[in-house]
Amino acid sequence: MIAKLATKKHEDEINIFFETHLNKNNEAITCEEFFCPFGVKAAIKRKQVIIILDDDKKIVAATRFYPRKRDGVVSVYQFAIDEQNRGENFLKKMLFVTGYKNFEVLCPLNSKFNNYYEKTGWILKTENKKYNYWNLSLS
């Protein structure tokens, strides 16, 4: 398995991957933009998509991220990992490839997905009326 920056040639496959692995009814989805193929295209162009390819060069994980200028923290905008490869720390492997160290995600308060962040080493930074804000620092 190899984690790497996505290129334009991966665009269609990434869109299909997200479409297949992200359910619009998932309680952790915070924004309809997750399903916009133009958002993926723009993120690839900005070099803000990391993928993991298996030995057959098939995408098994992908994430979109956005480095914020105001504080240097990287917002993890969207990610998915196929079911057969969950539990392999693929999100952390993809984030490491970005070259950044500090990451943040937001997750709806009542989402069961908060358990994922807690058990994979993210720290709950704060919350508001709608979201938990989780932080991760990579060394």
Side-chain angles (χ1 to χ4, degrees), residues 2 21 25-26 28 37 41 83 92 97-98 114 119 138-139:
I2 183 167
H21 293 87
N25 297 321
N26 186 312
K41 180 178 184 171
E83 287 187 44
K92 285 183 184 177
V97 171
T98 69
N114 284 293
K119 76 179 185 181
L138 298 177
S139 304

Side-chain angles (χ1 to χ4, degrees), residues 9-47:
K9 74 176 186 176
H10 300 111
E11 184 180 319
D12 291 338
E13 189 179 355
I14 292 168
N15 277 316
I16 291 168
F17 182 81
F18 280 141
E19 193 175 295
T20 302
H21 293 87
L22 294 176
N23 180 332
K24 289 186 180 191
N25 297 321
N26 186 312
E27 61 190 14
I29 300 296
T30 59
C31 174
E32 282 293 315
E33 190 178 331
F34 282 8
F35 304 101
C36 175
F38 301 112
V40 168
K41 180 178 184 171
I44 290 171
K45 190 174 184 176
R46 289 188 312 267
K47 299 182 179 352

Side-chain angles (χ1 to χ4, degrees), residues 13 19 35 39 65 78 84 98 100 108 137:
E13 189 179 355
E19 193 175 295
F35 304 101
F65 62 96
Q78 169 184 24
Q84 295 83 4
T98 69
Y100 294 97
S137 293

